[in-house]
Every structure is written in C-alpha cells, then in structure tokens.
Amino acid sequence: MPLERCGEATCTGCGACAAACPTAAITLTSGEGGFAYPRIDPARCVGCGACDRACPLGAEEAARRPARAAYAVWDRGEGRAAATSGGAFGAVARVVLAGGGAVCAAALALPEGCLRHVVVTDEAGLARVRRSKYLQSETAPALREALGLLRQGRTVLFVGTPCQVAGWRRLTAPFGERAPACDLVCGGVPSPALFAAYLREEEGHAGAPIADYDFRDKGAGWNFPRVRLTFANGRTVRRPLRMDPFYAAFAAKLSCRLACATCPYSCLGRVGDLTLADCWHVASYRPDYDDNRGTSLLLAQTDWGERLLARLSAGEAAGKVAVRPYDIAHAANANAPLRHPLGRSPEREGFLRETLAEGLPLRVAIQRRLGRGWAVRAFARWWAKRLLWAWLRRRQ
C-alpha cells in the first residue's frame, strides 16, 4: 500500500505525494488537529509508487546541507516597508523573475482565512506572497502548476517550510538547478482549523468580516511586532504578538502539527539552496545593521545560493539592497529552530479538542493555560522591551 509509513505523527503535509500522483488518487483532507493528511482513493490508485518516491520521510539526513555562509540583508527601497522583515525574500524573488523564472510561495486568502501556495510570474504578483504567515499552507495545486512550468523549460523558485522544500526537492529532482528552493526558519506550523475559528471569533467581536490580516505588523518597529486585523467596517485592531490568542497558542506550543515537535530540519543542516529568517538580536552583534525597520538573515548552502547572493551583492553598488557578511554561530544562537526542534506542550491535544471539537472560545482556552493575567503580562513585557531598546540605542 502506498505511503504506509506516513502516519499522523510523522506526516508533515508537504503535499508532494498529491502533486506527484498521475491519477489524482491522493487528496489532502482535514485530520488530527485540523491539519491536512493524504488520503488515497483505492479506485483511482494504480500502484505506480510515484507518491512514495516523492515523499521525503526517511530521507531527511541525506537532504540536509551545511550552511556555507550567512548574510544580513535589507532592501533599500520600497520592498522593505512592504515586508515583515528586511525584504530579502522580495530581493531574491526579483532576481529570479528578472531571469524569466517564476516563484512558488504562500499567499493568505481572505475572507476564507486559509494559506495557499501560488505561482507568481511577475513583480506585481509579489505583493500576494510577501509577509510572514504563521500557518500551514496548501501546496498540491501550486506544485502541479510549478511542475508544468519546469517541463516548459522555466526556472521555478520554491519558498516554504523545510519539510515542504524537502518534498519539492524529491518531486523536482530531474530538473536540477532549474528548481531551486529557499527554506524558512520555522518554529512549527499552527492548525489551519484553529486559525479559521480564531478569525470567526474576531469577526464576531468586531461585527464585520475581516478584510486584511498581518501576522507581524511592524508599525511600532520591526523589533516590536504586533498582530494587525483590519475589518470591512474600517476598524483596525493591533496588539502585541503574545497578547493575541492565536499567536499565544503558537508560542505556548499548543497548536502546531504533531510532526513539528520532532522536526528533523531544525538544525544548521538545511534543505534549501538558501535559508531565510529574521536576523534577530542583530543589534547585540552589529548595531549598525539594526535601524528597527527590519533586517533579514540569509544562509547559503549551495552553489546556486551563493551565485544568487553574489548577484544581490552586485545590486548593493546601485543602492538597491544591502548584503553584509554575518556570523553563522550568532545567527543560530538567535534563532532556536536552527539549533533544535521546539517540542510541544503536553496540553496540546486537550487545547485543540476544546477549541475545535467543543467550541470553547480561544481566549478562554488560552486563559485556562496561561492564567488570567496573560494578556496584561504580555503587554508589560512588550513595553519593557521597547523602553530597553530605546535606552540602549541612546547609549550607542
């Protein structure tokens, strides 16, 4: 039977199996915790084994490559303001698009509240796939579209979580460097079903459907991110990340996929040609790299990745982007998923059961686990961090 080794505790939902199936026998349907798992239609399955060949389970160690170099990167133009961090993703994507290639990355669909990978073929489309999204995305339809472009001779850059990139690698192995990938430093993927329930709660409080959502708005500065919800009635709500019930659940390890707890890609051995992250704590190492507008971290693992970074560096002379060498060890110390998997809370299953099956409001479920004053404590920590950062900047 195909995919026998793929159970709820091990499957990452990367979607490579569904994209590889020549008879469309595999669909990803909601299972444990509201996450997508592959289901096979026996009437359609011809036993060809394409799904097993595309599945990255069991081949994680062979897929990892050591990071060769690290860089702090920020866009000097409008791309930085539109990005969650320093705008490195947009800078990389523009290089690929300028060469006639395409980019496959995640876009948030509203009002449905789901995240889907889409294929972008021009700069105008980059607006859809910018900004961080703490959510698991649907990939299979976009993977099929990307495969079609690869067969036409186009280059397609795939951007996603390491497990998604691992599936992309196996799916596109025959295309070599025409199928590059950029993996994200990922601390786990929260439940899509929980996000949908959370949006319904927020819409109920606002009395209007949601029109826009930003998982990490940097209106108060990149170092002090907030969740931003914009509703159709014109109301906008901003709150520090840990004051937001959906993000609080993610930070408390209550809402992520089972496989995330033991992620084999949470290390400095990466599966992408490039690795993209925030350059956290950069001010403690290179304060001149942090103006509170956003600084990205890029790691290069392959020849393709180093060549692309060289092209970005060439753009620095034209004033388009800053690409500065960075210390890999410091980058790993500031990004926990570059060192080890983040695990999960023993209360995870009870939390997801209460919120998804029993309909308990997310705020109530969070309060039960983090205490009545969780939001007040989160707000106080956020302001204390802002004041400390301002004091340190004055001393520099």
Side-chain angles (χ1 to χ4, degrees), residues 157-222:
L157 171 68
F158 181 86
V159 183
T161 61
C163 54
Q164 291 174 335
V165 168
W168 169 258
R169 287 290 195 204
R170 294 180 69 85
L171 191 64
T172 61
F175 300 101
E177 285 197 343
R178 284 201 296 107
C182 179
D183 69 73
L184 308 171
V185 173
C186 172
V189 287
S191 165
L194 185 70
F195 185 66
Y198 155 76
L199 290 187
R200 289 194 297 271
E201 282 185 31
E202 295 292 340
E203 289 174 340
H205 293 316
I210 190 160
D212 189 30
Y213 187 90
D214 194 340
F215 288 85
R216 268 180 47 209
D217 173 75
K218 59 182 183 183
W222 169 65

Side-chain angles (χ1 to χ4, degrees), residues 10-365:
T10 55
C11 177
T12 64
C14 72
C17 57
C21 182
T23 62
I26 300 176
T27 55
L28 277 87
T29 58
S30 182
E32 190 277 336
F35 293 97
Y37 292 90
R39 299 289 181 264
I40 300 175
D41 181 353
R44 288 176 173 267
C45 180
V46 295
C48 67
C51 55
D52 274 320
R53 291 190 294 274
C55 180
L57 286 179
E60 294 89 352
E61 188 171 350
R64 297 194 296 255
R65 305 171 176 87
R68 298 180 183 179
Y71 298 87
V73 179
W74 58 93
D75 192 316
R76 294 184 182 276
E78 296 179 359
R80 192 183 189 193
T84 299
S85 187
F89 160 71
V92 170
R94 287 195 297 272
V95 171
V96 174
L97 293 173
V103 177
C104 185
L108 184 63
L110 293 172
E112 306 98 299
C114 61
L115 191 65
R116 299 188 182 104
H117 262 68
V118 297
V119 176
V120 172
T121 57
D122 55 42
E123 282 198 35
L126 287 181
R128 299 178 61 196
V129 292
R130 282 194 175 104
R131 302 191 298 189
S132 296
K133 302 108 179 171
Y134 295 101
L135 197 60
Q136 180 151 46
S137 62
E138 303 171 17
T139 59
L143 289 175
R144 295 189 193 101
E145 183 179 351
L147 283 171
L149 292 178
L150 288 168
R151 293 184 184 111
Q152 294 171 20
R154 301 275 293 276
T155 292
V156 181
L157 171 68
F158 181 86
V159 183
T161 61
C163 54
Q164 291 174 335
V165 168
W168 169 258
R169 287 290 195 204
R170 294 180 69 85
L171 191 64
T172 61
F175 300 101
E177 285 197 343
R178 284 201 296 107
C182 179
D183 69 73
L184 308 171
V185 173
C186 172
V189 287
S191 165
L194 185 70
F195 185 66
Y198 155 76
L199 290 187
R200 289 194 297 271
E201 282 185 31
E202 295 292 340
E203 289 174 340
H205 293 316
I210 190 160
D212 189 30
Y213 187 90
D214 194 340
F215 288 85
R216 268 180 47 209
D217 173 75
K218 59 182 183 183
W222 169 65
N223 288 291
F224 318 107
R226 297 176 294 180
V227 169
R228 176 175 57 79
L229 304 95
T230 305
F231 298 92
N233 60 6
R235 181 183 178 190
T236 297
V237 174
R238 292 181 177 88
R239 57 176 76 105
L241 296 189
R242 290 178 186 265
M243 281 185 66
D244 182 76
F246 181 77
Y247 187 91
F250 167 63
K253 306 173 188 177
L254 292 165
S255 61
C256 286
R257 195 179 183 101
L258 286 171
C260 296
T262 56
C263 175
Y265 306 109
S266 292
C267 58
L268 268 174
R270 311 301 296 176
V271 291
D273 298 277
L274 292 170
T275 293
L276 177 64
D278 286 88
C279 201
W280 292 127
H281 301 170
V282 61
S284 64
Y285 177 64
R286 289 298 304 260
D288 52 321
Y289 291 180
D290 183 8
D291 60 1
N292 202 27
R293 295 167 57 201
T295 308
S296 299
L297 173 71
L298 276 178
L299 306 179
Q301 285 78 238
T302 67
D303 292 342
W304 186 93
E306 291 192 319
R307 288 198 303 271
L308 190 136
L309 276 162
R311 292 184 65 181
L312 286 187
S313 297
E316 181 157 9
K320 295 180 179 179
V321 62
V323 182
R324 307 293 168 80
Y326 203 69
D327 181 67
I328 293 178
H330 189 83
N333 287 336
N335 284 275
L338 287 176
R339 304 193 305 273
H340 53 73
L342 299 186
R344 68 172 178 267
S345 168
E347 298 189 62
R348 172 192 177 276
E349 284 71 25
F351 174 81
L352 291 176
R353 182 184 65 252
E354 289 175 356
T355 52
L356 297 180
E358 299 172 11
L360 186 70
L362 184 53
R363 288 179 178 274
V364 177

